[in-house]
């Protein structure tokens, strides 16, 4: 069997490797020549896929920037980015472009599966018409189309592609059957839903659920701070309840592609149905404001120690959006750094997973050099292998935005 994968990022590359490991021939397509060159060299740029693992299946992967080789694939998976515009509306540019290019080479009997997160209706209303127009083939009769949302959590080791249930919604039952057979080669558990719309909504529900609950605990963190209550003590205590409670923790804001983006796909779509999703939008608003609240906490902590933000030496620990990965997409650390810099702070950062931040003009600094003589050390992302508690004990001022130091009680320690 031959499988095509369009878009070789955090979703596409693991899929390409998984199918290659299952013995399938893979055509891996991306518009970024750097990714193509890296794959051909066996050099992985994704934390979840080691270079050794990629190199082991290179004979099965044909990496290219051209769509023509996809004509020989039995199935093609679309895993392109679906970001938001500056006005926080869906940007389907990459999806539409890839659909047109794929349609020109689409062959009778092929299966096309969209994995990119999007609003309900995208597969049927946007992807299918383009494929039919460009190929002159009828979906459901001559070609098969389905939606199967990605469920990638970068850096996670307990749940990966193989043991994470795979949701599939076909345009027709036969389309769903084809997709289920395909993913059954690399996934242990297939979950069938009746339509692509149901599968699209499933992905959004998963992420909106997290977004709303994170917003709730973030709002409670702000209130608890004003009331003089340690929110981390409260969360730890509430989590002892064996039923009716699921633990969510406050933090500096949400990052990655999913949580800061996906809810707005649904709020945009809801307006077409004359509905305002106020609950979802409020959660997004709270989470977007968290970096600014964190800056106020840092500024207040410096003031308590007789220091203004201007000209203060501030060391930021961790700039990726989560521990153990180098993904900086939508990372709250970037906004925190940006705001502190505009207020005159001298910023250094340490993140072993992020060598540089070109847009901010910063380079990763060794841990000791970053924290030495710092007026404040701010923990934004807790990476493994760093003794944050020891750093907090020795720091002039340590601002913990992740709750790593809960249980410590020193005058130089401020928590979110």
């Amino acid at each position: 069997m031959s499988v095509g994968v369009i878009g070789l990022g955090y979703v596409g590359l693991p899929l390409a490797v998984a199918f290659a490991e299952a013995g399938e021939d893979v055509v891996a397509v991306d518009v970024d020549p750097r990714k193509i060159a890296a794959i051909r060299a066996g050099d992985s740029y994704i934390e979840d896929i080691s270079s050794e693992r990629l190199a082991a299946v290179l004979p099965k992967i044909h990496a290219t920037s051209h769509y023509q080789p996809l004509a020989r694939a039995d199935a093609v998976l679309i895993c392109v980015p679906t970001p938001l515009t500056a006005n926080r509306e869906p940007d389907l540019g990459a999806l539409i472009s890839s659909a047109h290019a794929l349609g020109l080479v689409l062959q009778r009997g092929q299966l096309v599966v969209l994995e990119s997160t999007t609003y309900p209706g995208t597969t049927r209303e946007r992807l299918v018409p383009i494929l039919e127009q460009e190929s002159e083939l009828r979906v459901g009769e001559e070609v098969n189309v389905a939606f199967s949302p990605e469920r990638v959590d970068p850096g996670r080791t307990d749940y990966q592609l193989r043991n994470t249930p795979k949701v599939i919604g076909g345009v027709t039952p036969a389309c769903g059957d084809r997709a289920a057979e395909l993913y059954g080669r690399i996934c242990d558990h297939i979950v069938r839903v009746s339509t692509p719309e149901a599968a699209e909504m499933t992905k959004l529900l998963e992420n909106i659920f997290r977004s709303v609950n994170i917003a709730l605990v973030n709002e409670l963190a702000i209130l608890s701070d004003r009331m003089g209550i340690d929110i981390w003590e409260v969360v730890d205590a509430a989590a002892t309840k064996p039923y009716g409670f699921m633990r969510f923790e406050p933090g500096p804001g949400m990052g990655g592609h999913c949580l800061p983006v996906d809810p707005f796909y649904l709020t945009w779509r809801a307006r077409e149905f004359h509905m305002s999703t106020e609950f979802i939008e409020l959660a997004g608003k709270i989470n977007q404001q968290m970096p600014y609240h964190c800056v106020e906490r840092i500024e207040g902590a410096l003031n308590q120690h007789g220091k203004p933000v201007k000209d203060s030496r501030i060391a930021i620990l961790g700039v990726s959006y989560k521990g153990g990965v180098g993904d900086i997409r939508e990372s709250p650390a970037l906004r925190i750094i940006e705001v502190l810099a505009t207020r005159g702070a001298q910023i250094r950062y340490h993140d072993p997973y992020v060598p540089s931040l070109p847009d901010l003009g910063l380079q990763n600094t060794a841990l000791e050099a970053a924290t030495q003589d710092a007026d404040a050390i701010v923990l934004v992302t807790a990476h493994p292998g760093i003794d944050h508690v020891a750093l907090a004990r020795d720091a002039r001022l340590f601002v913990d935005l992740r709750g790593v130091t809960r249980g410590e009680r020193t005058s130089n320690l401020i928590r979110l």
Side-chain angles (χ1 to χ4, degrees), residues 112-133:
V112 177
V113 182
L114 177 60
E115 288 227 359
S116 306
T117 303
T118 186
Y119 58 82
T122 301
T123 303
R124 193 185 303 273
E125 299 170 15
R126 303 300 298 274
L127 177 61
V128 166
I130 294 174
L131 295 178
E132 291 185 331
Q133 172 191 333

Side-chain angles (χ1 to χ4, degrees), residues 105-410:
V105 301
L106 197 64
Q107 303 296 307
R108 186 184 303 271
Q110 286 184 316
L111 165 68
V112 177
V113 182
L114 177 60
E115 288 227 359
S116 306
T117 303
T118 186
Y119 58 82
T122 301
T123 303
R124 193 185 303 273
E125 299 170 15
R126 303 300 298 274
L127 177 61
V128 166
I130 294 174
L131 295 178
E132 291 185 331
Q133 172 191 333
E134 298 291 358
S135 69
E136 299 183 353
L137 298 171
R138 294 290 298 171
V139 169
E141 299 174 10
E142 298 166 295
V143 293
N144 295 288
V145 174
F147 181 81
S148 181
E150 57 88 2
R151 282 175 159 175
V152 174
D153 189 4
R156 188 156 197 153
T157 57
D158 52 347
Y159 286 103
Q160 297 181 317
L161 186 59
R162 170 61 70 178
N163 64 341
T164 299
K166 198 77 172 89
V167 175
I168 294 170
V171 172
T172 67
C175 292
D177 292 342
R178 282 286 306 278
E181 191 279 330
L182 171 72
Y183 284 106
R185 298 166 184 254
I186 61 170
C187 299
D188 292 335
H189 186 195
I190 303 298
V191 179
R192 294 284 297 272
V193 294
S194 59
T195 63
E197 291 82 3
E200 290 160 339
M201 183 67 93
T202 297
K203 171 65 174 179
L204 295 180
L205 172 59
E206 293 168 6
N207 288 337
I208 290 169
F209 171 80
R210 293 179 61 200
S211 173
V212 167
N213 281 280
I214 291 171
L216 172 63
V217 75
N218 278 337
E219 189 170 60
L220 290 176
I222 297 172
L223 177 60
S224 296
D225 173 47
R226 296 183 182 183
M227 298 176 70
I229 300 171
D230 186 343
I231 186 61
W232 296 100
E233 181 182 8
V234 173
V235 171
D236 286 342
T240 64
K241 186 177 181 180
Y243 57 90
F245 182 82
M246 181 175 291
R247 184 187 184 101
F248 286 87
E249 297 183 348
M254 298 187 304
H257 170 70
C258 292
L259 295 191
V261 175
D262 296 354
F264 292 100
Y265 266 72
L266 188 59
T267 60
W268 177 85
R269 180 64 163 168
R271 291 195 290 271
E272 295 188 20
F273 293 85
H274 311 289
M275 180 175 177
S276 176
T277 52
E278 297 178 9
F279 201 72
I280 299 171
E281 293 182 38
L282 177 59
K285 180 179 178 180
I286 293 171
N287 289 325
Q288 288 174 3
Q289 290 299 312
M290 284 307 293
Y292 298 96
H293 171 69
C294 292
V295 169
E296 298 304 321
R297 288 288 286 155
I298 296 166
E299 188 171 28
L302 284 167
N303 285 338
Q304 291 177 18
H305 285 72
K307 294 282 295 183
V309 171
K310 183 176 174 58
D311 295 326
S312 287
R313 298 181 296 272
I314 300 179
I316 303 293
L317 299 184
V319 296
S320 61
Y321 86 91
K322 65 177 289 188
V325 302
D327 192 347
I328 62 171
R329 291 177 298 175
E330 304 290 335
S331 173
L334 306 182
R335 184 53 52 87
I336 291 172
I337 291 172
E338 184 179 26
V339 175
L340 287 172
T342 61
R343 297 186 184 184
Q346 299 177 24
I347 304 294
R348 294 172 287 187
Y349 84 88
H350 173 72
D351 190 316
Y353 296 86
V354 183
S356 66
L357 296 173
D359 292 344
L360 296 173
L362 296 174
Q363 299 284 330
N364 179 46
T365 305
L367 181 60
E368 184 177 355
T371 57
Q372 186 177 20
D373 297 327
D375 295 306
I377 301 174
V378 181
L379 173 57
V380 181
T381 303
H383 286 305
I386 299 176
D387 191 341
H388 297 101
V389 173
L391 286 172
R393 289 170 179 167
D394 295 336
R396 295 177 184 175
L397 174 63
F398 194 92
V399 182
D400 179 5
L401 305 180
R402 292 292 184 179
V404 172
T405 63
R406 57 184 179 271
E408 296 289 313
R409 296 288 187 271
T410 57

